[in-house]
Every structure is written in C-alpha cells, then in structure tokens.
Amino acid sequence: MMKVQGMWGLCLVLLVIMFVYAVIGEAQIASFLINCGTNSTVNVDGRRWVGDSNPGNNVTLSSPSIEASTATFNGDSFYSPLYKTARIFSDSLNYTIQGTPGNYFLRLHLYPFSFEKYNVNDSSFAVEANGLTLVSEFNVPGEILHKNTYLQNSGGNSSLSFLLKEFFFTTNANSIVLEFHPTKGSFGFINAIEIVPVDDKLFVDSVNKVGGNGGNSSLNLGRRGVETMYRLNVGGALIKPAQDLDLRRVWEVDSSYMITADAGSGIRNSSNITYASPNDTSVAPLLVYETARTMSNTQVMEKRFNMSWKFEVDPDFDYLVRLHFCELVYDRANQRTFRIYINNRTAANNFDIFVRAGGMNKAYHQDYFDMVSSDISTLWIQLGPDTTTSAAETDALLNGLEIFKLSRNGNLAHLRPYGNLGEHKTSKGVIFWLGIGAGVASVVVLTAVVIMIVCFCKKRRNKQNDTKENLPGWRSLFLLGAATNSTANAKASTENQNPYGSVATVRSRRRFTLADIRSATNNFDEGLVIGVGGFGKVFKGEIEGGTLAAIKRANPQSQQGLAEFETEIEMLSKLRHRHLVSMIGFCDEQNEMILVYEYMANGTLRSHLFGSDLPPLSWKQRLDVCIGAARGLHYLHTGSERGIIHRDVKTTNILLDEDFVAKMADFGLSKTGPSLEHTHVSTAVKGSFGYLDPEYFRRQQLTEKSDVYSFGVVLFEVVCARAVINPSLPKDQINLAEWAMRWQRQRSLETIIDPQLQGNYSPESFMRFGEIAEKCLADEGKSRPTMGEVLWHLEYVLQVHEAWLHGNAGENSFSSSQALRTLADRQAEAQEVAISNVEACSEPKVKKDGEYTPGTDKSDALVVGVDEFSQLVKPQGR
Ligand SMILES: *[C@@H]1O[C@H](CO)[C@@H](O)[C@H](O)[C@H]1NC(C)=O
Ligand SMILES: *[C@@H]1O[C@H](CO)[C@@H](O)[C@H](O)[C@H]1NC(C)=O
Ligand SMILES: *[C@@H]1O[C@H](CO)[C@@H](O)[C@H](O)[C@H]1NC(C)=O
Ligand SMILES: *[C@@H]1O[C@H](CO)[C@@H](O)[C@H](O)[C@H]1NC(C)=O
Ligand SMILES: *[C@@H]1O[C@H](CO)[C@@H](O)[C@H](O)[C@H]1NC(C)=O
Ligand SMILES: *[C@@H]1O[C@H](CO)[C@@H](O)[C@H](O)[C@H]1NC(C)=O
Ligand SMILES: *[C@@H]1O[C@H](CO)[C@@H](O)[C@H](O)[C@H]1NC(C)=O
Ligand SMILES: *[C@@H]1O[C@H](CO)[C@@H](O)[C@H](O)[C@H]1NC(C)=O
Ligand SMILES: *[C@@H]1O[C@H](CO)[C@@H](O)[C@H](O)[C@H]1NC(C)=O
Ligand SMILES: *[C@@H]1O[C@H](CO)[C@@H](O)[C@H](O)[C@H]1NC(C)=O
C-alpha cells in the first residue's frame, strides 16, 4: 500500500516538474529581450532584459559603437528602466541574434535622448531585419512629434515621449540579423529590442478583400514584411503589455481616432467571454472583447455612417484590417446587423456578430485586405446601419481593431517629410501610453494636416494670450538638423524624392546654410531679385543640383515680417497641394530668415495680365489659372472643420509654373497670422487694398467669404487686365471692383474686356464667368458662394468654352448650352437641355454608353453633372 502511494507521489512530482519545465521552457527560450547600450540586466514587467554587451546573451554586435546613458527619463512608462541606456552608432551596426526559425513580433524601443555630442534631433537611420527594410531615414523625434500632434489634435490626450515600432516577420534562418544603418553624416540609436515568438495561428492566409464582393485575397505573409500600424481596444481602456501576457501587445484607446467621438458609446460586460475558435487564443486577450462601442443614436437613422474611425496610413502599401467583435448584449441572431466600410467601400454587408461568432459572448475577429494606392494616405473604417436588412436592430458594434501594413516589395519604410519640431509642448508627467508603430503616413495629407493646422491655430491663439516672454522664438520652429552637419542632412533629404509625386519634389525640412544660400543667389545679387514681398525680397537661385528655387529673404528688422514668416513656415511645412506653392527648405543662420520655395517659372498671374511685355494669356489659359487658384483656395478652406483663410488673395499671389499651372502663394497673412490691426496695416502697405472685403472692413470679422470676395476681384482683373486700383484713371474707374460690378450688373461686362481677348472666347462662358465674379462680390459674405461652388462653376465655364472651341474648329458641333449645367441652374435648365439637342451624346467627353471619361483635372462635381446629363438626354442609356 505504502509502495503504491509512494509511486503515485513520485508520478505526481514528475508530472509537476514536467509541467513547470514545459511552461518555463517555452516562455524563456523563445523571447529575446535586449537592453541596448549596457551590460546590465533589468527586470521590466516581469521579464528579464539582458544587456546587449553582456557576454553570453546570444547577441553578437558587429562593430564598435557607443554606450550612452541618461540619468533622466523624461516621462513615465513601464518600460522606463530600459530607456535609460541606448546604443549609439555612426556606422552600420548589426545585431545578430541566435534563435530558432519561426514567426516573431519584433519591437524596436526608441526613446530619444541626447548624449555628449549626439543631438538626437539630428539622428537618422535605417533598419533592416533579415534583409527586409523596416524603416529608412528614420528620425525618431520627428515621428514622435508627428504622432503626438496628430493625436492631440484629434482630441487625444497624448504626450508620448518614446516610440515603439512593431513588426511581424517570419524567418527560416537560424539567426535574426538586425542591421542598423545611419544616414550618411548622421547617427542612429536603439534603446531596446524585443523579439517575441508568435504561433502560426495569428494570421490565416486567405482573407476577404474589401470591395471584392466576397472574394478573398491571399496574404502571402511569408514573403512580406508586416508592420503594426494601429492596435485599439475599442470602447475600453488602454491595455498594457502586462495585461496581454502572451504577446505583450499594447492596445490603445480608440477615441482619438474617431471622427465624432460621441457617435459611439462604450459598453462593457465581462461575463463569461470565450473564444469562438480554439485557434484564436493568441489573436487578442479576452480583455479586448469585454468592451465595445455601439452607436449612440440609433433612432436617427439617416443613411450616414454612424461610427467612423480615421487613420493616417502610408500610401502605396497593402493593409490588413482586423476587426474584433463580441456580441455582449443580444442572445439571439438578427438583433444587430450592420455594414462595414473600409475606405468608403463595402467590406461586409449584413454583418451579424451573433451569427458569425456562433453565439453571444464569443470572441471573434474578421480580417479584411485592402490596397491603398499612392494618392491615399488615410484609412477610414466605418460601421453603419444596413438599410436593406430586416433586423430588429440596426445598431453596430466593435470591440477591437488592428491595422497592419504589408510590404509590396521587401520594403516597409516610408519617408516622411518631418515637419517642424518646435511647436510641440511636452507636458511632463502625463504620458499616455501609445506605442504602436507611429510610422504613419508620411505625406502631409489633407485630413491629418488640416487637423494639425487647426491645432496650430488654437495654439497660436493661446499663445497670443500668453505673455510675450513665453513665446518661443521663431527659431524653435526648426529643430531638426543642427548646424554642425546640416549640409549632410540637407543632402540626404534632397536625395529623397517625395514619393507623393507631383506636389513637391523635396521634403520641407531641408535646412540650408547661409553659405548655400549665398552661393545660390550670387550673394544676394540684386539682379536676381524676382519680387519684393511684404517682408523682404525674393531672389531667383540655383540650389545644388541645378534646381531653380525662389529664395525669400526676410528683412530681420521687421517684427511684422517675422510673424508672417513664422506663419508661412507653419502653413507651408504642413500643406501640400498641387495648387499651393511648396516649400523646399529654409535657412535660419545668423539671424537670417530665409525660405526656399519651388521656382515658379512663369511668375505671377498679374505679370501675364498687364504691365509687362509677356504675351497675353488666352481665355482658356485664364480659365485654367482661375480654376487652379480656386482649387488651391478650396483646399485651404475645406480641409478641416475650421478651415484656413488665406487673407491675401490677389493676382501677385497666384503664381504660374512652367506649364502655367496656378498655385497659391504667400501664406504670411493666413488666418493664424498676427492680430487684426497688424494685418490690416500690412495688407494696405502691400497694396492689396482693392481686394479687401468691405464686410471684413466693416465688421472686422474674417471668414472664408473674404477670400471669396478677393477672388472675385481677381476674376474681374483677369477679364479686364488692369490694376485693381489705378489712381490715374477717372474717379469712377479707380477701383476695379466697383467699376466692373457696374458693368456686370448691366450685363455688359464685355464693354470693358481686355482687348487682347476680343473675339477669342465663347460668349456664354464669358457671361457665366461674369456672373460668378459678381456673386463673389456680393455685399454680404453669406450671399457669396463658397470656393467649392466657385470652383464648380468655373469648371463649367471652361467646359462651355472648350465646347465652343470644338465647335469653332468645325468638329462635331457641341453647343455649350446643351452640354452642362451649373449646379444652381441644374433643375431649371434640365428640360431645355433635354429638348434642345440630343446630339450632345456625340460630344467627345460623353461616350456612347453614357459614361464619362474624366479629363485630367476635372472636379468630381463635374463628373456628376455630365453623368446626369447624359442620362437625361439618353434615358435608355442606363
Ligand atoms: C559592466 O560594465 C562596467 C563598466 O562599464 C564594469 O565595471 C562591469 O564589470 C561590467 N559588468 C559585467 C557583468 O560585465
Ligand atoms: C542563449 O541561447 C541558449 C540556447 O538557445 C539558451 O539556453 C539561453 O537561455 C540563451 N540565453 C539568453 C540570455 O537568452
Ligand atoms: C551585417 O549583416 C549583413 C547581412 O548579414 C552583412 O552583409 C553586412 O556586411 C553586415 N555588416 C556588418 C557591419 O557587419
Ligand atoms: C488627460 O490625461 C490625464 C491623465 O491621464 C487626465 O487626468 C486628464 O483628465 C486628461 N484630459 C483630458 C482632456 O482627457
Ligand atoms: C475567405 O476568408 C475568410 C476569412 O477572412 C474565410 O473564413 C473564408 O473561408 C475564405 N473564403 C475562401 C473562399 O477562401
Ligand atoms: C452581462 O451579460 C450577462 C449575460 O452574459 C447579463 O446577464 C448581464 O446582465 C450583463 N451585464 C450588464 C451590466 O449588461
Ligand atoms: C458563466 O459560465 C458558467 C459555466 O459555463 C455558468 O455556470 C455561469 O452561469 C455563467 N455566468 C453567466 C453570467 O453567464
Ligand atoms: C485551427 O488550426 C489548425 C491548423 O493550424 C487547422 O487545421 C484547424 O482547422 C483550425 N481550426 C479552426 C476551427 O479554424
Ligand atoms: C471617404 O469619404 C470621406 C468622406 O466623404 C472622404 O473625406 C475621404 O477622403 C474618402 N476616403 C477615400 C479613401 O476615398
Ligand atoms: C529636440 O527638439 C525638441 C523639439 O520638440 C526640443 O524640445 C529638444 O530640446 C531638442 N533636443 C535637443 C537636444 O536639441
């Protein structure tokens, strides 16, 4: 008896030992946790992080490098012990880690601190893992600033002080080689490296394709790099790595990514949640499924989406969107069905979590594959009612969300034009933990950027209430690139063509030395002056590589100029648009304030209208220019809820490039600029008087409609080709706006038309054009059209004129009055159009089947117009 009991005991002990061995063995052998730049080992969240210079850590360092340490960790993070040391390298450095083949999460911990002569703001480096490029030209402070700004301005409460980049990769090799390459002349650093094994059930290969009508795509992850862009615990609190024991992930709160944060309300129920499939245990911790967001207002069932999240992403990559669901409320099917949209395309219809997950309280996820093209840098995820459904409830629900970026060609890196680092205020102590791959879209995008600008406006306003002493000098705007190696940095950044193409070829952070500028402008040769602005002179110069540039040098005495200068940099370093002049760089040495812009070969619009020997512009060219400028202004006005007001719209601020593409310039007076009195003075001084909105004058209230007014004056100037104020003329003609309006009201604007245009324009287009200008000059701002409407009408005018040109050229006749209708006249004219000419179908832009072939630069609104029109004239066409 005793013997048997003893044997049982022994077995039990053995079992326990085996079990413990299995658990510990798996947990310890598998992860590699490296504390860089030290030989000491620290314990963080219950794990041992071995120093990278500690012998016997299975890590080999290829080349000599510097061990740096900081006494102060400027923030509060559960990783702070790791962030007190870093390894700094000015030459390529390899970390070779002996491991086993498999799937891993690789996390790079980057906490920027300066050490001796290494100013971390100057760091820039690339990282490769087993041959896959993860980042290149990576500037950590710039990334952090970008992410903080983005989050703060979308209502987040973020003051991140470090970066955690997470990648997923699969290796067949027995070792992992991490190569760090500093950008030439710069250096790189790394604080900690975390390699966590992942089981192969985390991703399945075949996933639904967005907009693919139920079709699937093969992810091919084995041949791609994967970066975690976002990981959110929707409707719940931050989940720290210690709460996601398996994979040590961080799950951010989602509210700052919601477009309207109160469109969804958080719910919570932690009772008895289980995974829908036993394979899913590593997909997310159950904690993620305990909270969710549902629509706040299910009574108001418009067709509009109710819950929307918006993310900045890098263009030209594929994305895997993983949505986590768990039905916490209903215990039956058909109670909650909804539709999922990803970037405005349907990812799923009739989505019923209960049905898909196989019950209530079942943790379930669904993956979607989406390709993001090179002109898109946001990812919208929207959940809304499915109007076609018969379900009792149309409410939607979401528990968690992940976005992974997938490489297309062995490269995950995306170059970002780092904005300025100066405006950022770090509130010490409040560190909101957000680590996941802050490497979001690099191109400054309308959506994000505009939010930033709005914030900047706020800040400016706040700042103006502060005491002057608290104002940071304008110099603090530029913190990237120190004087010591600025040339190298500048070179490096110019070599990087902005992958976003047409907008700007170089990144906006480029810093020039004064010597560069002097040599570019032949030591500020007066002969190279191409303009004199409110605050200084503009020179034509040739920057290295022979690129022509417009170099604007501020007069350092002028406080006024300084403020405008600052505004302009702020605006321009964030704004990118085909119809806004872009900034190449700046120089801030020796009290100089110099801005370098793309060179606009054809100068100002004004110079092509009058006062020079330049050949006159044709009516079509003038329309194209007006449309371009209107597009630029429309972008400024509508990018955000609050918009940006240019404030100084005039023909000398509309510049033309070598192809006569119009771009708005001179943001020195934009809304966020100096106080009202200042602006007033400055605009008067700069001779913009004839453009000023009288309502703005009277009420001192600036709105977008003031720009519309000024733009209306520009339109008249384009028609009449004379100065807006010409004191040498008889009294009633001095002010163009008044004079032209008098003729326009009598419908005889043609009387004062630029003689150069005589006969070479379509009369109808001219008439419409005059009407637009007239509307823009309405006395009251609220009666004026928006820039969007102006743009739309101008597009129409151009169409009319082009049709007329066609007709004149003896081609298939296409009378303008038959072609298209303005937005306002659409209904009134609809019948007339339909009756008057059915031949319009043979117009080249309208194909036989009624489909519109978009021109190169036509607005969407116009597309709609044509489409509807072709339906009208040929009802059987569709
Ligand atoms: C770690 O480095 C310090 C000095 O850099 C040295 O004094 C110490 O002995 C080292 N410890 C180990 C375990 O190598
Ligand atoms: C190094 O690798 C060996 C065998 O793979 C393992 O037993 C040991 O724990 C590793 N050491 C560290 C510090 O990870
Ligand atoms: C780093 O590793 C790569 C690939 O294994 C190798 O080609 C390169 O020479 C190594 N660099 C250094 C500095 O050892
Ligand atoms: C920001 O975060 C702090 C600490 O987490 C909190 O006390 C404060 O209320 C938050 N502010 C806002 C506006 O959310
Ligand atoms: C498509 O992918 C989903 C997972 O996202 C999977 O459940 C389904 O079986 C796949 N369909 C096909 C035809 O492979
Ligand atoms: C949570 O769910 C359970 C059923 O799983 C339900 O009985 C309970 O009332 C729910 N609690 C709340 C607060 O909704
Ligand atoms: C949770 O599950 C257990 C066993 O599966 C069951 O006894 C219990 O009633 C459940 N609790 C709730 C709140 O559903
Ligand atoms: C779980 O994964 C295994 C292999 O990884 C697969 O064969 C099995 O079908 C999966 N089970 C479910 C329910 O998806
Ligand atoms: C999706 O629609 C929104 C709102 O209409 C728009 O702002 C956004 O640019 C669209 N996104 C894409 C990728 O088309
Ligand atoms: C780096 O730039 C930031 C700007 O946000 C500034 O606060 C910080 O002092 C700079 N660091 C150094 C070492 O220049």
Side-chain angles (χ1 to χ4, degrees):
M1 201 59 184
M2 289 285 279
K3 219 173 175 181
V4 173
Q5 266 184 356
M7 276 203 17
W8 274 116
L10 197 65
C11 283
L12 208 70
V13 168
L14 270 173
L15 267 172
V16 168
I17 288 174
M18 276 164 68
F19 178 75
V20 167
Y21 183 76
V23 168
I24 293 177
E26 202 173 302
Q28 281 196 341
I29 289 173
S31 286
F32 295 91
L33 306 170
I34 304 164
N35 185 16
C36 301
T38 177
N39 64 7
S40 61
T41 297
V42 294
N43 277 304
V44 176
D45 69 26
R47 295 181 295 168
R48 267 168 57 85
W49 299 68
V50 184
D52 63 356
S53 56
N54 190 324
N57 61 357
N58 298 342
V59 174
T60 322
L61 288 175
S62 68
S63 6
S65 49
I66 293 146
E67 295 188 347
S69 60
T70 181
T72 54
F73 173 72
N74 174 23
D76 158 33
S77 149
F78 31 83
Y79 285 126
S80 35
L82 290 173
Y83 297 164
K84 293 190 167 129
T85 61
R87 183 162 299 278
I88 293 180
F89 43 90
S90 338
D91 290 316
S92 291
L93 172 71
N94 285 3
Y95 273 85
T96 307
I97 300 140
Q98 295 304 323
T100 43
N103 307 317
Y104 296 92
F105 272 137
L106 164 68
R107 299 194 181 108
L108 304 178
H109 292 256
L110 300 154
Y111 170 68
F113 65 82
S114 293
F115 179 74
E116 292 172 358
K117 65 176 176 150
Y118 297 95
N119 180 339
V120 76
N121 288 348
D122 298 339
S123 65
S124 171
F125 60 99
V127 184
E128 284 177 28
N130 282 4
L132 171 82
T133 303
L134 306 179
V135 295
S136 53
E137 297 240 346
F138 196 61
N139 177 276
V140 178
E143 283 295 314
I144 291 176
L145 178 64
H146 183 87
K147 175 113 183 173
N148 275 332
T149 315
Y150 181 76
L151 282 168
Q152 282 167 5
N153 297 313
S154 47
N157 188 0
S158 145
S159 177
L160 174 73
S161 66
F162 60 95
L163 209 60
L164 180 48
K165 299 278 282 178
E166 182 185 281
F167 304 93
F168 171 84
F169 76 103
T170 299
T171 178
N172 301 321
N174 226 330
S175 60
I176 297 165
V177 183
L178 285 180
E179 294 175 56
F180 290 84
H181 303 292
T183 308
K184 204 158 187 298
S186 186
F187 69 94
F189 69 95
I190 178 78
N191 300 78
I193 301 168
E194 183 179 355
I195 297 175
V196 179
V198 177
D199 71 34
D200 55 11
K201 299 187 182 86
L202 188 63
F203 296 107
V204 295
D205 187 60
S206 180
V207 302
N208 291 122
K209 196 173 169 178
V210 174
N213 278 330
N216 276 14
S217 248
S218 173
L219 288 182
N220 259 325
L221 288 189
R223 287 200 257 130
R224 297 200 199 228
V226 182
E227 176 177 357
T228 311
M229 299 290 279
Y230 298 94
R231 179 174 285 139
L232 309 182
N233 179 23
V234 176
L238 171 77
I239 297 179
K240 298 177 183 180
Q243 294 168 289
D244 185 4
L245 269 177
D246 219 14
L247 294 176
R248 305 282 177 161
R249 290 164 291 201
V250 178
W251 300 74
E252 284 183 76
V253 293
D254 70 312
S255 50
S256 2
Y257 299 98
M258 285 197 84
I259 292 181
T260 320
D262 50 11
S265 36
I267 62 166
R268 176 183 186 85
N269 192 333
S270 46
S271 47
N272 282 3
I273 295 172
T274 53
Y275 289 103
S277 154
N279 285 357
D280 286 353
T281 51
S282 63
V283 165
L286 287 175
L287 210 45
V288 169
Y289 300 98
E290 289 178 4
T291 58
R293 226 176 248 289
T294 58
M295 291 198 226
S296 303
N297 200 347
T298 45
Q299 270 79 283
V300 187
M301 270 308 158
E302 294 175 45
K303 274 165 95 185
R304 306 181 50 189
F305 306 126
N306 221 314
M307 292 198 289
S308 309
W309 292 261
K310 190 180 74 187
F311 303 90
E312 215 185 348
V313 295
D314 300 338
D316 239 346
F317 284 95
D318 295 338
Y319 289 88
L320 174 66
V321 176
R322 171 165 286 183
L323 304 177
H324 298 269
F325 300 102
C326 180
E327 179 53 70
L328 298 173
V329 179
Y330 298 111
D331 57 1
R332 277 176 297 141
N334 227 19
Q335 297 300 294
R336 186 203 307 275
T337 59
F338 53 93
R339 209 178 264 222
I340 302 168
Y341 301 86
I342 295 179
N343 264 359
N344 302 345
R345 283 177 302 151
T346 303
N349 274 324
N350 235 323
F351 199 91
D352 187 333
I353 301 170
F354 188 95
V355 172
R356 299 213 181 207
M360 184 186 182
N361 293 337
K362 293 281 185 210
Y364 170 78
H365 69 279
Q366 182 79 53
D367 290 344
Y368 295 100
F369 176 81
D370 197 14
M371 287 151 81
V372 168
S373 61
S374 60
D375 54 348
I376 290 178
S377 42
T378 48
L379 199 72
W380 295 55
I381 295 173
Q382 301 173 298
L383 267 54
D386 198 329
T387 43
T388 60
T389 174
S390 58
E393 284 273 1
T394 49
D395 195 3
L397 175 143
L398 185 67
N399 303 65
L401 186 160
E402 288 172 281
I403 298 178
F404 300 98
K405 176 171 97 177
L406 315 180
S407 70
R408 288 181 182 166
N409 50 15
N411 189 348
L412 273 171
H414 184 71
L415 299 173
R416 179 198 306 291
Y418 294 105
N420 64 72
L421 284 183
E423 276 300 305
H424 175 52
K425 285 187 237 149
T426 341
S427 56
K428 287 177 191 159
V430 193
I431 284 288
F432 206 71
W433 217 98
L434 313 141
I436 324 293
V440 262
S442 88
V443 178
V444 186
V445 196
L446 190 139
T447 44
V449 165
V450 156
I451 295 169
M452 282 194 214
I453 289 157
V454 168
C455 158
F456 173 65
C457 300
K458 276 188 207 146
K459 278 186 185 159
R460 283 296 296 244
R461 207 153 296 132
N462 295 344
K463 253 179 19 183
Q464 272 161 10
N465 300 338
D466 288 346
T467 54
K468 281 268 186 258
E469 287 69 34
N470 290 343
L471 285 175
W474 72 277
R475 237 154 241 291
S476 63
L477 288 170
F478 310 116
L479 291 145
L480 281 170
T484 48
N485 52 15
S486 58
T487 321
N489 276 357
K491 271 223 175 68
S493 36
T494 27
E495 274 158 22
N496 263 297
Q497 299 290 302
N498 182 342
Y500 220 41
S502 72
V503 185
T505 47
V506 268
R507 301 200 277 160
S508 59
R509 61 177 277 223
R510 179 166 179 190
R511 170 182 285 203
F512 292 88
T513 63
L514 190 53
D516 289 340
I517 301 287
R518 284 191 190 283
S519 95
T521 57
N522 202 4
N523 201 11
F524 300 110
D525 184 350
E526 289 291 317
L528 293 175
V529 171
I530 49 173
V532 182
F535 75 98
K537 288 179 177 160
V538 185
F539 299 82
K540 177 179 175 179
E542 204 170 284
I543 52 177
E544 70 227 29
T547 315
L548 284 175
I551 296 170
K552 187 165 165 183
R553 183 193 198 190
N555 173 0
Q557 270 85 52
S558 138
Q559 266 307 113
Q560 176 75 48
L562 192 136
E564 290 180 17
F565 190 68
E566 210 176 300
T567 310
E568 179 139 17
I569 294 157
E570 271 302 320
M571 295 285 167
L572 277 177
S573 55
K574 290 167 182 171
L575 293 171
R576 286 295 162 99
H577 189 268
R578 181 170 149 80
H579 295 288
L580 301 181
V581 169
S582 55
M583 185 169 83
I584 297 173
F586 61 87
C587 167
D588 62 341
E589 257 176 52
Q590 295 176 25
N591 264 334
E592 289 281 358
M593 300 179 285
I594 296 171
L595 284 179
V596 182
Y597 301 91
E598 63 177 313
Y599 179 68
M600 300 292 288
N602 277 310
T604 67
L605 168 58
R606 183 185 153 117
S607 67
H608 292 269
L609 293 174
F610 57 93
S612 76
D613 318 328
L614 295 169
L617 297 177
S618 70
W619 182 236
K620 179 177 181 322
Q621 278 176 313
R622 294 183 202 205
L623 291 177
D624 281 332
V625 167
C626 292
I627 287 170
R631 218 179 269 280
L633 282 172
H634 176 57
Y635 167 76
L636 283 179
H637 288 177
T638 57
S640 69
E641 300 102 280
R642 301 191 37 210
I644 298 162
I645 302 172
H646 186 287
R647 257 188 184 186
D648 199 15
V649 176
K650 54 181 177 180
T651 47
T652 47
N653 279 340
I654 297 173
L655 303 183
L656 306 177
D657 74 4
E658 69 274 18
D659 300 321
F660 285 90
V661 172
K663 306 195 183 197
M664 292 305 303
D666 207 340
F667 299 89
L669 293 178
S670 299
K671 191 181 174 184
T672 55
S675 60
L676 276 177
E677 311 91 276
H678 268 198
T679 313
H680 178 164
V681 170
S682 122
T683 45
V685 165
K686 287 161 80 180
S688 313
F689 185 72
Y691 296 94
L692 267 189
D693 170 12
E695 190 185 44
Y696 170 35
F697 237 42
R698 282 196 302 274
R699 302 179 42 194
Q700 302 277 299
Q701 272 175 6
L702 191 68
T703 68
E704 281 92 352
K705 295 296 179 67
S706 298
D707 282 353
V708 173
Y709 182 94
S710 310
F711 189 74
V713 180
V714 166
L715 294 182
F716 279 130
E717 198 179 339
V718 163
V719 167
C720 303
R722 53 151 281 191
V724 291
I725 299 288
N726 186 346
S728 66
L729 291 170
K731 195 158 170 252
D732 62 335
Q733 301 184 19
I734 291 178
N735 187 330
L736 171 66
E738 287 173 15
W739 192 51
M741 277 296 270
R742 243 187 338 267
W743 291 104
Q744 170 58 31
R745 286 200 195 97
Q746 302 166 25
R747 295 289 173 267
S748 37
L749 185 62
E750 267 158 296
T751 322
I752 59 167
I753 194 174
D754 178 6
Q756 308 269 16
L757 281 175
Q758 284 302 352
N760 291 317
Y761 58 88
S762 127
E764 190 191 342
S765 72
F766 183 80
M767 185 190 83
R768 298 276 181 181
F769 189 90
E771 284 168 7
I772 299 166
E774 180 183 358
K775 288 199 179 103
C776 290
L777 294 198
D779 219 35
E780 292 201 320
K782 60 179 195 292
S783 327
R784 295 174 202 150
T786 63
M787 263 339 279
E789 284 162 345
V790 172
L791 173 60
W792 201 93
H793 286 263
L794 286 173
E795 293 268 13
Y796 165 65
V797 168
L798 178 65
Q799 286 287 309
V800 168
H801 179 62
E802 281 178 340
W804 178 84
L805 286 177
H806 260 284
N808 273 11
E811 278 174 23
N812 201 349
S813 145
F814 174 61
S815 156
S816 55
S817 64
Q818 302 150 2
L820 301 154
R821 295 143 297 131
T822 63
L823 198 55
D825 300 343
R826 190 187 298 178
Q827 283 175 325
E829 278 188 19
Q831 267 183 315
E832 174 199 325
V833 170
I835 296 160
S836 65
N837 201 331
V838 183
E839 277 167 30
C841 287
S842 55
E843 197 273 327
K845 286 232 151 70
V846 184
K847 284 195 209 152
K848 287 273 188 254
D849 59 3
E851 246 183 40
Y852 178 70
T853 321
T856 45
D857 202 15
K858 302 287 177 275
S859 78
D860 292 347
L862 190 64
V863 177
V864 173
V866 177
D867 250 10
E868 283 178 9
F869 169 68
S870 54
Q871 282 176 345
L872 244 176
V873 292
K874 214 181 156 212
Q876 78 280 17
R878 282 177 176 240

